[in-house]
Coordinates of all heavy atoms in Angstrom, one line a residue:
M1 N -138.6 217.0 -132.9 CA -138.0 216.0 -133.8 C -138.1 214.6 -133.0 O -138.0 214.6 -131.8 CB -136.6 216.4 -134.0 CG -135.7 215.3 -134.8 SD -134.2 215.9 -135.4 CE -134.8 216.4 -137.1
A2 N -138.3 213.6 -133.7 CA -138.4 212.2 -133.3 C -137.2 211.7 -132.7 O -136.1 212.0 -133.2 CB -139.0 211.2 -134.3
T3 N -137.3 210.9 -131.7 CA -136.1 210.2 -131.2 C -136.3 208.7 -131.3 O -137.6 208.2 -131.2 CB -135.7 210.6 -129.7 OG1 -137.0 210.4 -128.9 CG2 -135.3 212.0 -129.7
L4 N -135.4 207.9 -131.2 CA -135.5 206.5 -131.2 C -135.4 205.9 -129.8 O -134.8 206.5 -129.0 CB -134.3 206.0 -132.0 CG -134.2 204.5 -132.4 CD1 -134.9 204.3 -133.7 CD2 -132.7 204.0 -132.5
N5 N -136.2 204.8 -129.6 CA -136.1 204.3 -128.3 C -134.7 203.6 -128.1 O -134.5 202.5 -128.7 CB -137.1 203.2 -128.1 CG -137.3 202.5 -126.7 OD1 -136.3 202.5 -126.0 ND2 -138.4 202.1 -126.3
M6 N -133.8 204.2 -127.4 CA -132.5 203.8 -127.2 C -132.2 202.5 -126.5 O -131.3 201.9 -126.5 CB -131.6 204.9 -126.8 CG -131.5 206.2 -127.5 SD -130.7 206.0 -129.1 CE -129.0 205.9 -128.5
D7 N -133.3 202.0 -125.8 CA -133.2 200.9 -125.0 C -133.8 199.6 -125.6 O -134.1 198.6 -125.0 CB -134.0 201.1 -123.6 CG -133.3 202.3 -122.8 OD1 -132.0 202.1 -122.8 OD2 -133.9 203.2 -122.4
R8 N -133.9 199.7 -126.9 CA -134.4 198.5 -127.7 C -133.3 198.1 -128.7 O -132.4 198.9 -128.9 CB -135.8 198.9 -128.5 CG -136.9 199.1 -127.6 CD -138.2 199.1 -128.3 NE -139.3 199.4 -127.5 CZ -140.2 198.5 -127.0 NH1 -139.9 197.2 -127.4 NH2 -141.1 198.8 -126.2
A9 N -133.5 196.9 -129.2 CA -132.5 196.4 -130.2 C -132.9 196.9 -131.6 O -134.0 196.8 -131.9 CB -132.4 195.0 -130.0
W10 N -131.9 197.3 -132.3 CA -132.1 197.9 -133.7 C -131.0 197.4 -134.6 O -130.0 196.8 -134.2 CB -132.0 199.4 -133.8 CG -133.1 200.1 -133.0 CD1 -133.1 200.3 -131.6 CD2 -134.3 200.5 -133.5 NE1 -134.3 200.9 -131.3 CE2 -135.1 201.1 -132.4 CE3 -134.9 200.5 -134.8 CZ2 -136.4 201.6 -132.5 CZ3 -136.2 201.1 -134.8 CH2 -136.9 201.5 -133.9
D11 N -131.2 197.2 -135.8 CA -130.3 196.7 -136.9 C -130.7 197.3 -138.1 O -131.5 197.9 -138.4 CB -130.5 195.1 -136.9 CG -129.3 194.5 -137.4 OD1 -128.2 195.2 -137.8 OD2 -129.2 193.3 -137.4
L12 N -129.7 197.3 -139.0 CA -129.8 197.7 -140.5 C -130.9 196.8 -141.0 O -130.9 195.6 -140.8 CB -128.5 197.5 -141.3 CG -127.5 198.6 -141.2 CD1 -126.2 198.2 -141.9 CD2 -128.0 199.9 -141.6
H13 N -131.7 197.3 -141.9 CA -132.7 196.6 -142.6 C -131.9 195.6 -143.6 O -130.8 195.9 -144.0 CB -133.5 197.5 -143.5 CG -134.7 196.8 -144.2 ND1 -134.7 196.0 -145.2 CD2 -136.0 196.9 -143.8 CE1 -135.6 195.6 -145.6 NE2 -136.6 196.0 -144.8
E14 N -132.4 194.4 -143.7 CA -131.6 193.4 -144.4 C -131.5 193.8 -145.9 O -130.6 193.2 -146.6 CB -132.5 192.1 -144.4 CG -133.9 192.1 -145.1 CD -134.5 190.8 -144.8 OE1 -134.2 189.9 -144.0 OE2 -135.5 190.6 -145.5
Q15 N -132.2 194.7 -146.4 CA -132.0 195.2 -147.9 C -131.1 196.4 -148.0 O -131.1 197.1 -148.9 CB -133.3 195.4 -148.5 CG -134.2 194.2 -148.8 CD -135.5 194.5 -149.6 OE1 -136.2 195.4 -149.2 NE2 -135.7 193.7 -150.6
V16 N -130.5 196.8 -146.8 CA -129.6 198.0 -146.9 C -128.2 197.6 -147.0 O -127.6 196.8 -146.3 CB -129.9 198.9 -145.6 CG1 -128.8 200.0 -145.5 CG2 -131.2 199.4 -145.6
S17 N -127.5 198.4 -147.9 CA -126.1 198.2 -148.1 C -125.4 199.4 -147.6 O -125.9 200.6 -147.8 CB -125.8 198.0 -149.6 OG -124.4 197.9 -149.9
V18 N -124.2 199.2 -147.0 CA -123.4 200.3 -146.5 C -122.1 200.4 -147.1 O -121.4 199.5 -147.3 CB -123.2 200.2 -144.9 CG1 -122.3 201.3 -144.4 CG2 -124.4 200.0 -144.1
R19 N -121.8 201.6 -147.6 CA -120.6 201.8 -148.4 C -119.9 203.0 -147.6 O -120.2 204.1 -147.7 CB -120.7 202.3 -149.8 CG -119.4 202.3 -150.6 CD -119.6 202.6 -152.0 NE -119.5 203.9 -152.3 CZ -119.9 204.5 -153.5 NH1 -120.2 203.8 -154.4 NH2 -119.8 205.7 -153.6
P20 N -118.8 202.5 -146.8 CA -118.1 203.6 -146.2 C -117.3 204.5 -147.0 O -117.0 204.2 -148.2 CB -116.9 202.8 -145.3 CG -117.5 201.5 -145.2 CD -118.4 201.3 -146.4
E21 N -117.1 205.9 -146.7 CA -116.6 206.8 -147.5 C -115.7 207.7 -146.5 O -116.0 207.7 -145.3 CB -117.7 207.7 -148.2 CG -118.6 207.0 -149.2 CD -117.9 206.7 -150.4 OE1 -116.9 207.4 -150.7 OE2 -118.3 205.9 -151.2
P22 N -114.9 208.6 -147.1 CA -114.1 209.4 -146.2 C -114.9 210.3 -145.4 O -114.6 210.7 -144.3 CB -113.1 210.1 -147.2 CG -113.1 209.4 -148.5 CD -114.5 208.6 -148.4
F23 N -116.1 210.8 -145.7 CA -116.8 211.6 -145.0 C -117.8 211.0 -144.1 O -118.5 211.6 -143.2 CB -117.8 212.6 -146.0 CG -118.7 211.7 -146.9 CD1 -119.9 211.2 -146.4 CD2 -118.2 211.4 -148.2 CE1 -120.7 210.5 -147.2 CE2 -119.1 210.6 -149.1 CZ -120.4 210.2 -148.5
G24 N -118.0 209.6 -144.2 CA -118.9 208.8 -143.4 C -119.2 207.6 -144.1 O -118.5 206.6 -144.2
A25 N -120.5 207.7 -144.7 CA -120.9 206.5 -145.4 C -122.2 206.8 -146.3 O -122.9 207.7 -146.1 CB -121.3 205.3 -144.5
L26 N -122.4 206.0 -147.2 CA -123.6 206.0 -148.1 C -124.4 204.7 -147.6 O -123.8 203.6 -147.6 CB -123.2 205.9 -149.6 CG -122.6 207.1 -150.2 CD1 -122.2 206.7 -151.7 CD2 -123.4 208.3 -150.2
L27 N -125.7 204.8 -147.4 CA -126.6 203.8 -147.2 C -127.6 203.7 -148.3 O -128.2 204.8 -148.6 CB -127.4 204.0 -145.8 CG -126.7 203.5 -144.6 CD1 -125.4 204.2 -144.3 CD2 -127.6 203.7 -143.5
Y28 N -127.7 202.5 -148.9 CA -128.7 202.3 -150.0 C -129.6 201.3 -149.7 O -129.2 200.1 -149.3 CB -127.9 202.0 -151.3 CG -129.0 201.8 -152.5 CD1 -129.5 203.0 -153.1 CD2 -129.3 200.7 -152.9 CE1 -130.4 202.9 -154.1 CE2 -130.2 200.6 -154.1 CZ -130.8 201.6 -154.6 OH -131.7 201.6 -155.7
H29 N -131.0 201.5 -149.7 CA -131.9 200.5 -149.4 C -132.5 199.9 -150.9 O -133.1 200.8 -151.6 CB -133.2 201.3 -148.7 CG -134.1 200.3 -148.1 ND1 -134.8 199.4 -148.9 CD2 -134.5 200.0 -146.9 CE1 -135.5 198.6 -148.1 NE2 -135.5 199.2 -146.8
F30 N -132.3 198.8 -151.0 CA -132.4 198.1 -152.4 C -134.0 198.0 -152.5 O -134.6 197.9 -153.6 CB -131.9 196.8 -152.5 CG -130.4 197.0 -152.8 CD1 -129.4 197.0 -151.7 CD2 -129.9 197.2 -154.1 CE1 -128.1 197.1 -152.1 CE2 -128.7 197.2 -154.3 CZ -127.7 197.1 -153.3
G31 N -134.9 197.8 -151.4 CA -136.2 197.8 -151.6 C -137.0 199.1 -151.8 O -137.8 199.2 -152.7
T32 N -136.5 200.1 -151.2 CA -137.2 201.4 -151.5 C -136.5 202.3 -152.4 O -137.0 203.4 -152.7 CB -137.3 202.2 -150.1 OG1 -136.0 202.5 -149.7 CG2 -138.2 201.5 -149.0
R33 N -135.2 201.9 -152.8 CA -134.2 202.7 -153.6 C -133.9 204.1 -153.0 O -133.5 204.9 -153.6 CB -134.9 202.9 -155.0 CG -135.1 201.7 -155.8 CD -135.6 201.8 -157.1 NE -135.5 200.7 -157.9 CZ -135.8 200.5 -159.2 NH1 -136.3 201.6 -159.8 NH2 -135.7 199.4 -159.8
K34 N -134.0 204.2 -151.7 CA -133.6 205.4 -151.1 C -132.1 205.4 -150.7 O -131.5 204.3 -150.4 CB -134.4 205.7 -149.8 CG -135.8 206.0 -149.9 CD -136.4 206.3 -148.5 CE -138.0 206.5 -148.8 NZ -138.6 206.9 -147.5
L35 N -131.5 206.5 -150.7 CA -130.1 206.7 -150.4 C -130.0 207.7 -149.3 O -130.6 208.8 -149.3 CB -129.4 207.4 -151.7 CG -127.8 207.4 -151.6 CD1 -127.1 206.2 -151.5 CD2 -127.4 208.3 -152.9
S36 N -129.2 207.3 -148.3 CA -128.9 208.3 -147.2 C -127.4 208.4 -147.1 O -126.6 207.5 -147.3 CB -129.4 207.6 -145.9 OG -130.8 207.4 -145.9
F37 N -127.0 209.6 -146.6 CA -125.7 209.9 -146.4 C -125.5 210.1 -145.0 O -126.2 210.7 -144.2 CB -125.5 211.3 -147.1 CG -125.3 211.4 -148.5 CD1 -126.6 211.4 -149.1 CD2 -124.4 211.0 -149.4 CE1 -126.8 211.6 -150.6 CE2 -124.4 211.1 -150.7 CZ -125.6 211.2 -151.3
L38 N -124.5 209.4 -144.3 CA -123.9 209.6 -143.1 C -122.8 210.5 -143.1 O -121.8 210.0 -143.6 CB -123.7 208.2 -142.4 CG -124.8 207.1 -142.4 CD1 -124.2 206.0 -141.5 CD2 -126.0 207.6 -141.8
K39 N -122.9 211.6 -142.6 CA -121.8 212.6 -142.7 C -120.9 212.7 -141.3 O -120.3 213.7 -141.0 CB -122.4 214.0 -142.9 CG -123.0 214.0 -144.3 CD -123.6 215.4 -144.6 CE -124.3 215.4 -145.9 NZ -125.1 216.7 -146.1
D40 N -121.1 211.5 -140.6 CA -120.4 211.4 -139.2 C -119.9 210.0 -139.1 O -120.6 209.1 -139.1 CB -121.4 211.8 -138.3 CG -120.8 211.7 -136.9 OD1 -119.9 211.1 -136.6 OD2 -121.5 212.4 -136.0
R41 N -118.4 209.9 -139.1 CA -118.0 208.7 -139.0 C -118.4 208.0 -137.7 O -118.3 206.7 -137.6 CB -116.4 208.6 -139.1 CG -116.1 209.1 -140.5 CD -114.7 208.9 -141.0 NE -114.1 207.6 -140.9 CZ -114.5 206.6 -141.8 NH1 -115.2 206.8 -142.8 NH2 -114.0 205.5 -141.7
T42 N -118.6 208.6 -136.6 CA -119.1 208.0 -135.4 C -120.4 207.5 -135.6 O -120.7 206.4 -135.1 CB -119.0 209.0 -134.1 OG1 -117.7 209.5 -134.1 CG2 -119.5 208.5 -132.9
L43 N -121.3 208.1 -136.4 CA -122.7 207.6 -136.6 C -122.6 206.3 -137.5 O -123.2 205.4 -137.2 CB -123.6 208.6 -137.3 CG -124.9 208.1 -137.6 CD1 -125.7 207.7 -136.4 CD2 -125.8 209.2 -138.4
L44 N -121.6 206.2 -138.3 CA -121.4 205.0 -139.1 C -120.9 204.0 -138.1 O -121.4 202.8 -138.2 CB -120.2 205.3 -140.1 CG -119.6 204.0 -140.8 CD1 -120.9 203.2 -141.4 CD2 -118.5 204.2 -141.8
A45 N -120.1 204.2 -137.2 CA -119.6 203.3 -136.2 C -120.9 202.8 -135.4 O -121.0 201.5 -135.0 CB -118.6 203.8 -135.2
V46 N -121.8 203.6 -135.0 CA -123.0 203.3 -134.1 C -123.9 202.4 -135.1 O -124.2 201.3 -134.6 CB -123.8 204.5 -133.8 CG1 -125.2 204.1 -133.4 CG2 -123.1 205.3 -132.8
V47 N -124.0 202.7 -136.3 CA -124.9 201.8 -137.3 C -124.3 200.4 -137.4 O -124.9 199.5 -137.3 CB -125.0 202.6 -138.6 CG1 -125.6 201.7 -139.7 CG2 -125.9 203.7 -138.5
Q48 N -122.9 200.4 -137.5 CA -122.2 199.2 -137.6 C -122.3 198.3 -136.4 O -122.2 197.2 -136.4 CB -120.7 199.5 -138.1 CG -120.7 199.8 -139.5 CD -119.3 200.2 -139.9 OE1 -118.5 200.7 -139.2 NE2 -118.9 200.0 -141.3
A49 N -122.5 199.0 -135.3 CA -122.4 198.3 -134.1 C -123.8 197.7 -133.6 O -123.9 196.9 -132.7 CB -121.8 199.2 -132.9
L50 N -124.8 198.2 -134.2 CA -126.2 197.8 -133.9 C -126.4 196.3 -133.9 O -127.0 195.7 -133.1 CB -127.1 198.5 -134.9 CG -127.5 199.9 -134.7 CD1 -128.3 200.5 -135.8 CD2 -128.0 200.3 -133.2
A51 N -125.9 195.7 -134.9 CA -126.2 194.2 -135.0 C -125.7 193.5 -133.9 O -126.4 192.4 -133.4 CB -125.5 193.7 -136.3
A52 N -124.5 193.8 -133.2 CA -124.0 193.1 -132.1 C -124.4 193.6 -130.7 O -124.2 193.0 -129.8 CB -122.5 193.1 -132.2
A53 N -125.2 194.6 -130.7 CA -125.5 195.3 -129.4 C -126.9 195.0 -129.1 O -127.7 194.9 -129.8 CB -125.3 196.9 -129.6
P54 N -127.1 194.8 -127.7 CA -128.4 194.4 -127.2 C -129.4 195.7 -127.3 O -130.7 195.4 -127.3 CB -128.3 194.0 -125.8 CG -126.8 194.6 -125.4 CD -126.1 194.8 -126.7
T55 N -128.8 196.8 -127.5 CA -129.7 198.2 -127.5 C -129.0 199.1 -128.3 O -127.8 199.0 -128.5 CB -130.0 198.7 -126.0 OG1 -128.8 199.2 -125.5 CG2 -130.8 197.7 -125.1
A56 N -129.7 200.1 -128.8 CA -129.1 201.2 -129.4 C -128.1 202.0 -128.6 O -127.1 202.5 -129.0 CB -130.1 202.2 -130.1
R57 N -128.4 202.1 -127.3 CA -127.7 202.9 -126.3 C -126.4 202.2 -126.2 O -125.3 202.8 -126.2 CB -128.4 202.9 -125.0 CG -127.6 203.7 -123.9 CD -128.5 203.6 -122.6 NE -130.0 204.0 -122.8 CZ -130.3 205.3 -122.8 NH1 -129.5 206.4 -122.8 NH2 -131.6 205.6 -123.0
S58 N -126.4 200.8 -126.1 CA -125.0 200.2 -126.0 C -124.2 200.1 -127.2 O -122.9 200.2 -127.3 CB -125.3 198.7 -125.5 OG -126.0 197.9 -126.4
A59 N -124.9 200.2 -128.5 CA -124.3 200.4 -129.7 C -123.5 201.9 -129.7 O -122.4 201.9 -130.2 CB -125.2 200.3 -131.0
C60 N -124.1 202.8 -129.1 CA -123.6 204.1 -129.1 C -122.4 204.1 -128.2 O -121.4 204.6 -128.4 CB -124.6 205.1 -128.5 SG -125.8 205.6 -129.7
A61 N -122.5 203.4 -127.0 CA -121.3 203.2 -126.0 C -120.2 202.6 -126.8 O -119.1 203.0 -126.6 CB -121.8 202.6 -124.8
A62 N -120.4 201.5 -127.5 CA -119.4 200.7 -128.2 C -118.7 201.5 -129.2 O -117.5 201.5 -129.5 CB -120.0 199.6 -128.7
A63 N -119.4 202.7 -129.7 CA -118.9 203.6 -130.8 C -118.2 204.7 -130.2 O -117.6 205.5 -130.9 CB -119.9 204.0 -131.8
G64 N -118.2 204.8 -128.8 CA -117.6 205.9 -128.2 C -118.4 207.2 -128.1 O -117.8 208.2 -127.8
V65 N -119.7 207.1 -128.2 CA -120.7 208.3 -127.9 C -120.7 208.6 -126.5 O -121.1 207.8 -125.8 CB -122.0 208.0 -128.5 CG1 -122.9 209.1 -128.3 CG2 -121.9 207.6 -130.2
A66 N -120.4 209.9 -126.3 CA -120.6 210.3 -124.8 C -122.0 210.5 -124.3 O -122.9 210.6 -125.3 CB -119.9 211.7 -124.7
E67 N -122.2 210.3 -123.1 CA -123.7 210.4 -122.7 C -124.4 211.6 -123.1 O -125.5 211.6 -123.4 CB -123.6 210.2 -121.2 CG -125.0 210.2 -120.5 CD -125.7 208.8 -120.7 OE1 -125.1 207.8 -120.8 OE2 -127.0 208.7 -120.6
A68 N -123.6 212.7 -123.1 CA -124.3 213.9 -123.4 C -124.6 214.1 -124.9 O -125.5 214.9 -125.3 CB -123.3 215.2 -123.1
D69 N -124.1 213.2 -125.7 CA -124.4 213.3 -127.2 C -125.5 212.3 -127.6 O -125.9 212.1 -128.7 CB -123.1 213.0 -127.9 CG -122.0 214.1 -127.9 OD1 -122.5 215.3 -127.6 OD2 -120.8 213.8 -127.9
L70 N -125.8 211.4 -126.7 CA -126.8 210.4 -126.9 C -128.2 211.0 -127.6 O -128.6 210.4 -128.6 CB -127.4 209.7 -125.7 CG -126.3 208.5 -125.4 CD1 -126.7 207.8 -124.0 CD2 -126.2 207.5 -126.5
P71 N -128.8 212.1 -127.2 CA -129.8 212.6 -127.8 C -129.7 212.9 -129.3 O -130.6 212.6 -130.1 CB -130.2 213.9 -126.9 CG -129.7 213.7 -125.7 CD -128.4 212.9 -126.0
R72 N -128.6 213.5 -129.6 CA -128.2 213.8 -131.1 C -128.1 212.5 -131.9 O -128.7 212.4 -132.9 CB -126.8 214.6 -131.1 CG -126.5 214.9 -132.6 CD -125.4 216.0 -132.5 NE -124.2 215.4 -131.8 CZ -123.2 215.1 -132.6 NH1 -123.3 215.1 -134.0 NH2 -122.1 214.6 -132.0
Y73 N -127.6 211.4 -131.4 CA -127.4 210.2 -132.0 C -128.8 209.5 -132.1 O -129.1 208.8 -133.0 CB -126.3 209.3 -131.5 CG -125.0 209.9 -131.9 CD1 -124.4 210.8 -131.2 CD2 -124.3 209.5 -133.1 CE1 -123.1 211.4 -131.6 CE2 -123.2 209.9 -133.6 CZ -122.5 210.9 -132.8 OH -121.3 211.4 -133.2
G74 N -129.5 209.7 -131.1 CA -131.0 209.1 -131.1 C -131.8 209.6 -132.2 O -132.6 209.0 -132.8
Q75 N -131.6 211.0 -132.3 CA -132.3 211.7 -133.4 C -131.9 211.1 -134.7 O -132.7 211.0 -135.8 CB -132.3 213.1 -133.3 CG -132.9 213.7 -132.1 CD -132.7 215.2 -131.9 OE1 -131.9 215.8 -132.6 NE2 -133.5 215.9 -131.0
A76 N -130.6 211.0 -134.9 CA -130.0 210.6 -136.2 C -130.6 209.1 -136.6 O -131.0 208.9 -137.7 CB -128.6 210.6 -136.2
L77 N -130.5 208.4 -135.6 CA -131.1 206.9 -135.8 C -132.6 207.0 -136.0 O -133.1 206.0 -136.8 CB -130.7 206.0 -134.5 CG -129.2 205.8 -134.4 CD1 -129.0 205.0 -133.0 CD2 -128.8 204.8 -135.5
A78 N -133.3 207.8 -135.4 CA -134.7 207.9 -135.8 C -135.0 208.4 -137.2 O -135.9 207.8 -137.7 CB -135.3 209.0 -134.8
V79 N -134.1 209.2 -137.7 CA -134.4 209.5 -139.1 C -134.1 208.4 -139.8 O -134.8 208.1 -140.9 CB -133.4 210.7 -139.5 CG1 -133.3 211.0 -141.0 CG2 -133.8 212.0 -138.7
L80 N -133.1 207.5 -139.7 CA -132.7 206.5 -140.4 C -133.9 205.2 -140.2 O -134.2 204.6 -141.2 CB -131.4 205.8 -139.9 CG -130.3 206.5 -140.2 CD1 -129.0 206.0 -139.7 CD2 -130.1 206.7 -141.8
A81 N -134.6 205.2 -139.0 CA -135.6 204.4 -138.9 C -136.8 204.8 -139.7 O -137.6 204.0 -140.3 CB -136.0 204.3 -137.5
Q82 N -137.2 206.1 -139.7 CA -138.2 206.6 -140.5 C -138.1 206.3 -142.0 O -139.2 206.1 -142.7 CB -138.4 208.1 -140.3 CG -138.9 208.5 -139.1 CD -138.9 210.0 -138.7 OE1 -138.3 210.8 -139.5 NE2 -139.5 210.4 -137.6
S83 N -136.8 206.2 -142.5 CA -136.7 205.9 -143.9 C -136.5 204.4 -144.0 O -136.0 204.0 -145.1 CB -135.5 206.7 -144.5 OG -134.4 206.3 -143.8
S84 N -136.7 203.6 -143.0 CA -136.5 202.1 -143.1 C -135.1 201.6 -143.3 O -134.8 200.5 -143.7 CB -137.5 201.5 -144.1 OG -138.8 201.8 -143.8
M85 N -134.0 202.5 -143.0 CA -132.6 202.0 -143.1 C -132.5 201.1 -141.9 O -131.5 200.2 -142.1 CB -131.8 203.3 -143.1 CG -132.0 204.1 -144.3 SD -131.4 203.1 -145.8 CE -131.7 204.3 -147.1
V86 N -132.9 201.5 -140.7 CA -132.7 200.7 -139.5 C -134.1 200.4 -139.1 O -135.0 201.1 -139.3 CB -131.9 201.4 -138.3 CG1 -130.5 201.8 -138.8 CG2 -132.7 202.6 -137.9
V87 N -134.1 199.1 -138.5 CA -135.4 198.5 -138.0 C -135.4 197.9 -136.7 O -134.1 197.4 -136.3 CB -136.0 197.4 -139.0 CG1 -136.5 198.1 -140.3 CG2 -134.9 196.5 -139.2
E88 N -136.3 197.9 -135.9 CA -136.3 197.3 -134.6 C -136.0 195.9 -134.8 O -136.7 195.2 -135.6 CB -137.5 197.6 -133.8 CG -137.5 197.2 -132.4 CD -138.5 197.7 -131.4 OE1 -139.4 198.5 -132.0 OE2 -138.6 197.3 -130.3
R89 N -135.1 195.4 -134.1 CA -134.8 193.8 -134.2 C -135.7 193.1 -133.2 O -136.0 193.6 -132.0 CB -133.4 193.7 -133.7 CG -132.8 192.3 -134.0 CD -131.4 192.1 -133.8 NE -130.9 192.5 -132.4 CZ -130.0 193.3 -132.1 NH1 -129.3 194.0 -133.0 NH2 -129.6 193.6 -130.9
T90 N -136.4 192.1 -133.7 CA -137.2 191.3 -132.9 C -136.5 189.8 -132.5 O -135.8 189.5 -133.5 CB -138.6 191.0 -133.5 OG1 -138.3 190.4 -134.7 CG2 -139.4 192.3 -133.7
E91 N -136.5 189.4 -131.4 CA -136.0 188.3 -131.0 C -136.8 187.0 -131.6 O -138.0 187.1 -131.4 CB -135.8 188.1 -129.5 CG -135.1 189.2 -128.9 CD -133.6 189.0 -129.4 OE1 -133.0 188.0 -129.7 OE2 -133.0 190.3 -129.6
T92 N -136.2 186.1 -132.2 CA -137.0 184.9 -132.7 C -136.6 183.7 -131.7 O -135.5 183.5 -131.2 CB -136.4 184.6 -134.2 OG1 -135.0 184.4 -134.2 CG2 -136.9 185.6 -135.0
S93 N -137.6 183.0 -131.5 CA -137.4 181.7 -130.6 C -137.2 180.6 -131.4 O -137.5 180.3 -132.4 CB -138.6 181.6 -129.7 OG -139.5 182.7 -129.6

């Protein structure tokens, strides 16, 4: 299974909307019309922390993810990246 480079900056795609739900969240991509379910409220916290975090690893830390759980969250973020829900953030000068 693919993993995400946790030492790079990531963010939600600009066309993705997040709707928190009791089970986690729904992510809808207006460009691709794809819908993703986040069935883990911690993963939702990670996704929400991506914009302010310098790396995916630090977003996980901000959301309270334990070091031992990083591979699982890296895989979950990789799935979101494959569906263009999250994209690598590039610095603009």
Side-chain angles (χ1 to χ4, degrees):
M1 179 167 259
T3 58
L4 191 86
N5 185 335
M6 298 292 283
D7 296 315
R8 294 194 182 258
W10 295 84
D11 204 350
L12 277 174
H13 189 284
E14 63 184 17
Q15 291 184 310
V16 171
S17 175
V18 177
R19 187 172 95 188
E21 295 287 342
F23 60 82
L26 296 172
L27 273 60
Y28 182 74
H29 193 301
F30 286 95
T32 64
R33 295 185 167 181
K34 289 184 182 180
L35 181 66
S36 291
F37 294 86
L38 301 185
K39 297 178 184 176
D40 179 334
R41 293 198 57 81
T42 302
L43 181 56
L44 171 59
V46 170
V47 168
Q48 291 174 323
L50 287 173
T55 65
R57 185 178 309 278
S58 61
C60 286
V65 174
E67 187 74 27
D69 293 329
L70 280 177
R72 182 167 61 102
Y73 284 90
Q75 289 175 350
L77 289 170
V79 170
L80 292 174
Q82 288 172 348
S83 62
S84 299
M85 294 292 180
V86 298
V87 292
E88 190 170 354
R89 189 168 63 228
T90 56
E91 299 301 323
T92 57
S93 346

